[in-house]
Amino acid sequence: YNGSWYIKGYAQVQPISEQNEAIRQKREQLYSSQIDPLHARKARKVILNDWSEANEAEYVAEVARISKEIEDENPYMGEHPNDESL
């Protein structure tokens, strides 16, 4: 992907496995930037003994919402890779 496609007159298509790896990395970055602050907030409140069942329900719902949003906005190409932990 060095730009030689421009001279040849066509754009190379990146293999699906490489596209999925780029998507996986983007998802990982988004999870880190959006969900890690929620984990940190929960950890602080648990340490301070200021965490309730209501906080837990809100936390779980927010993590699920963000995760679904990330997955919907960054779908894998073709089949999902075997590792669906992210």
Side-chain angles (χ1 to χ4, degrees), residues 1 12-13 22 26 29 50 55 57 65 69 73 75 77 85:
Y1 311 106
Q12 284 184 311
V13 176
K26 176 156 181 131
Q29 183 270 327
D50 188 25
N55 292 125
R65 183 192 66 75
E69 184 178 293
E73 291 177 1
M77 306 298 293
S85 63

Side-chain angles (χ1 to χ4, degrees), residues 9-81:
Y10 64 92
Q12 284 184 311
V13 176
Q14 192 177 27
I16 288 177
S17 62
E18 290 180 22
Q19 291 179 39
N20 280 342
E21 178 58 22
I23 292 166
R24 187 197 65 75
Q25 289 175 6
K26 176 156 181 131
R27 281 182 172 194
E28 186 176 332
Q29 183 270 327
L30 290 168
Y31 288 129
S32 292
S33 68
Q34 295 181 26
I35 294 179
D36 284 357
L38 297 176
H39 291 315
R41 182 176 145 255
K42 177 182 178 179
R44 265 192 319 273
K45 287 192 170 218
V46 167
I47 289 169
L48 297 172
N49 203 23
D50 188 25
W51 190 253
S52 66
E53 288 184 29
N55 292 125
E56 184 68 23
E58 179 184 317
Y59 167 78
V60 169
E62 186 69 7
V63 168
R65 183 192 66 75
I66 291 170
S67 294
K68 180 166 179 17
E69 184 178 293
I70 289 171
E71 291 167 8
D72 289 347
E73 291 177 1
N74 300 282
Y76 287 115
M77 306 298 293
E79 294 183 5
H80 289 276

